[in-house]
Amino acid sequence: MNVEAAKENRMTLQNLLGVSEEKAEKILGSFVLITGGQSDTNLVQCSIDVLEKTFENVSDIFNPDLSYNCEIVIGGAIPCTAGPHVFVCEQEKNNFLISLKRSSGSLQNHHPFISFLISCYVAALVVKVVAGEKLPFFIEDEINVELDKIITNRLVFDTEIDVGESYLAGAGAVGNSFLYALSKFNVKGLMHVVDADIVSGGNLNRCLFFTNDDIEQNKVDALIYHSQPLFPQLTLLPIPELLQNAPAAKKGGPWLKKLIVGVDSRRARRNLQNELPGEVFDASTTRIEEVVIHYHKNPLNGKACLGCIYHKEQEEQAHEKHIANQLGVSLEQIGEQFINENAALLISAKYSVEPSEIVGLAYDTLFKQLCGEGKLQIEENKQVLAPLAFVSGLAGAFLALNFVSNNIMPLPYNYWRVSPWRSPNFRLQQSRHTNPECEFCNNEITKDVIRSFWP
């Protein structure tokens, strides 16, 4: 594992568990074995792809000379070790149980998307096992995934889905996971992948496609290079810019029919609403505790937009003020999201960084990098600590599922909070309405333009 990626994981575990650097490194060095049968190859491979972004030693080949910290046992497979174990089985049709205790039930050969979705929950219990009882929130010993309540129309698995022309904003962790999950479906169309950032070593702990060879490359180019071969009928086109600088945006008019949101800050999501998208599919992570899923279509008719969901809160304002103080720039500059030449000079005067190397970086990205180097105060860094790969993976999985499902049947909700650590709570699915404090929804001029764009 890349040194910077390992450091990101270590910092997250230190902050999450309240343990020393040495203890966090020991946890990340855990040996994880995956044992499954011939029909379980999809779930085995997805579990490897997700877990190896966190743990340094993940394999599906048993080595009797090793002492394993956790063994994942799939279906009716026979364990190779004395444990501890994480068992995965299907108790009833489409009802998966991931548990620390073996239960009756086998596992049939399922659609590849299901394997990816389940692998994210499997990873959560593996973290529980190797971290012991130190997690700061309660996690039950089993996770029940009721697929029939998540996948309301199984035609998504058997149908060729024309997704038309769309824009994916954000080629980071959620964007990677979205395309990883989307590749499990039979989709066709045209998708622009938009991100102005480059790949850093620290991205490798949670971006499923990126490797060491991608460091210093444009994120969009690296993501498309790895994922395009998985899409025989979906064309991916790179735009290494901000969304507002996309060629179609310069022409004006209703150009942004479908927007998939995978950017990594509340401000960035709010700003995307200013591009007047017709239809929005959104997923985000709240540190490592929760995944938020949101959807809306214009005209809103009283429903919530991105500005309503991610309205500015006191915590966010305090966080931005802290970043500004630490980097030596103004709050106005933080509001611009990306570092310009003037800000780069101010930052370089405070830290030993080359101005030309940070121009164009997001402020959060640089702040997190400096945190990793131990140059900033740890107490206030919680908001920029990177989520573990399975958290971003779950966000991307639900984002892809909603994107394809909506082409067959309208979604029954527009907001859902999902924990990556416990069984999905379907009572949390909501129909969110306009936030009275939303600057976008309460702008009469903007509403008139929206109605003319998307009648």
Side-chain angles (χ1 to χ4, degrees):
M1 182 182 292
N2 174 276
V3 173
E4 291 180 64
K7 183 184 293 183
E8 294 275 1
N9 282 331
R10 190 195 70 225
M11 287 180 57
T12 297
L13 282 188
Q14 283 183 260
N15 187 275
L16 175 68
L17 306 177
V19 297
S20 66
E21 179 178 330
E22 182 181 6
K23 177 62 176 176
E25 288 180 347
K26 184 177 180 180
I27 292 172
L28 295 173
S30 296
F31 285 86
V32 180
L33 175 66
I34 306 173
T35 303
Q38 290 184 345
S39 63
D40 306 322
T41 54
N42 279 331
L43 182 51
V44 169
Q45 188 56 57
C46 287
S47 297
I48 291 174
D49 290 345
V50 172
L51 285 165
E52 68 180 4
K53 290 293 183 177
T54 301
F55 299 103
E56 297 174 11
N57 304 290
V58 180
S59 177
D60 60 341
I61 300 174
F62 175 62
N63 184 342
D65 296 327
L66 294 178
S67 177
Y68 290 95
N69 302 90
C70 183
E71 180 184 6
I72 302 165
V73 183
I74 300 174
I78 299 173
C80 297
T81 72
H85 300 111
V86 170
F87 295 98
V88 187
C89 72
E90 191 174 10
Q91 287 195 305
E92 301 173 4
K93 186 177 180 181
N94 301 322
N95 189 359
F96 281 78
L97 183 68
I98 305 146
S99 176
L100 302 189
K101 297 180 181 180
R102 185 145 213 169
S103 301
S104 59
S106 59
L107 197 64
Q108 303 300 317
N109 191 12
H110 279 276
H111 189 273
F113 171 79
I114 295 175
S115 295
F116 178 48
L117 181 70
I118 296 302
S119 73
C120 295
Y121 286 108
V122 169
L125 281 194
V126 172
V127 172
K128 173 183 171 72
V129 167
V130 299
E133 300 300 322
K134 295 183 177 295
L135 290 167
F137 39 81
F138 176 72
I139 304 174
E140 294 182 349
D141 289 346
E142 63 180 41
I143 297 175
N144 187 19
V145 184
E146 300 175 83
L147 287 179
D148 286 341
K149 293 183 179 180
I150 294 174
I151 303 165
T152 54
N153 192 326
R154 298 182 73 85
L155 284 176
V156 293
F157 295 147
D158 306 316
T159 306
E160 180 184 81
I161 301 172
D162 188 348
V163 297
E165 183 176 8
S166 59
Y167 286 77
L168 168 61
V174 175
N176 268 248
S177 298
F178 167 76
L179 285 181
Y180 184 101
L182 188 66
S183 70
K184 312 301 182 185
F185 298 97
N186 183 11
V187 294
K188 67 178 183 178
L190 174 66
M191 184 176 295
H192 306 269
V193 184
V194 188
D195 199 314
D197 207 355
I198 61 172
V199 179
S200 69
N203 295 138
L204 304 189
N205 81 316
R206 59 199 181 278
C207 294
L208 296 181
F209 283 113
F210 293 165
T211 68
N212 280 323
D213 293 337
D214 299 316
I215 295 174
E216 299 300 326
Q217 302 298 315
N218 289 326
K219 282 184 176 178
V220 291
D221 293 333
L223 182 52
I224 290 175
Y225 173 80
H226 291 292
S227 59
Q228 181 64 85
L230 305 177
F231 294 101
Q233 297 188 86
L234 178 70
T235 300
L236 302 173
L237 295 178
I239 301 180
E241 302 278 354
L242 299 177
L243 184 66
Q244 58 263 38
N245 295 330
K250 299 175 182 178
K251 299 177 182 179
W255 65 278
L256 190 55
K257 186 176 181 181
K258 288 185 180 182
L259 172 65
I260 305 122
V261 181
V263 296
D264 60 0
S265 78
R266 295 176 66 90
R267 179 186 286 276
R269 294 183 202 108
R270 284 197 304 273
N271 287 347
L272 290 176
Q273 192 63 53
N274 293 323
E275 302 308 311
L276 310 183
E279 198 170 11
V280 172
F281 301 85
D282 165 58
S284 61
T285 57
T286 305
R287 294 186 288 269
I288 69 167
E289 294 96 337
E290 195 173 56
V291 168
V292 171
I293 304 154
H294 163 66
Y295 166 79
H296 76 254
K297 184 176 183 178
N298 278 304
L300 290 169
N301 296 324
K303 295 296 178 64
C305 73
L306 287 167
C308 298
I309 300 297
Y310 300 108
H311 63 279
K312 197 159 189 176
E313 299 174 334
Q314 275 191 322
E315 185 179 11
E316 181 187 353
Q317 293 172 329
H319 174 57
E320 290 186 349
K321 184 177 180 180
H322 176 62
I323 291 179
N325 290 337
Q326 289 290 310
L327 297 183
V329 298
S330 66
L331 273 173
E332 288 74 17
Q333 287 170 310
I334 295 293
E336 294 172 2
Q337 297 186 64
F338 295 92
I339 300 170
N340 60 25
E341 292 181 357
N342 289 335
L345 290 173
L346 293 172
I347 295 168
S348 67
K350 193 168 184 179
Y351 300 100
S352 57
V353 294
E354 177 61 39
S356 61
E357 294 179 358
I358 61 174
V359 170
L361 277 182
Y363 284 100
D364 263 358
T365 298
L366 177 63
F367 185 70
K368 182 157 58 64
Q369 288 177 3
L370 293 175
C371 289
E373 295 169 9
K375 296 179 178 178
L376 299 177
Q377 298 174 12
I378 296 298
E379 291 78 12
E380 298 190 59
N381 291 342
K382 292 183 180 180
Q383 288 194 349
V384 293
L385 290 173
L388 299 174
F390 72 91
V391 181
S392 301
L394 192 65
F398 278 115
L399 185 58
L401 178 63
N402 284 359
F403 182 63
V404 295
S405 296
N406 199 62
N407 281 268
I408 296 175
M409 180 184 295
L411 298 173
Y413 60 90
N414 70 355
Y415 181 84
W416 190 18
R417 290 167 32 234
V418 181
S419 169
W421 301 93
R422 55 183 64 91
S423 307
N425 186 346
F426 301 98
R427 290 177 296 177
L428 294 178
Q429 291 180 349
Q430 300 176 25
S431 181
R432 280 275 184 110
H433 295 281
T434 298
N435 187 323
E437 297 180 1
C438 176
E439 296 179 4
F440 180 87
C441 287
N442 291 290
N443 187 314
E444 293 300 326
I445 296 176
T446 301
K447 288 196 287 188
D448 287 341
V449 174
I450 280 287
R451 282 191 287 263
S452 68
F453 276 12
W454 314 110

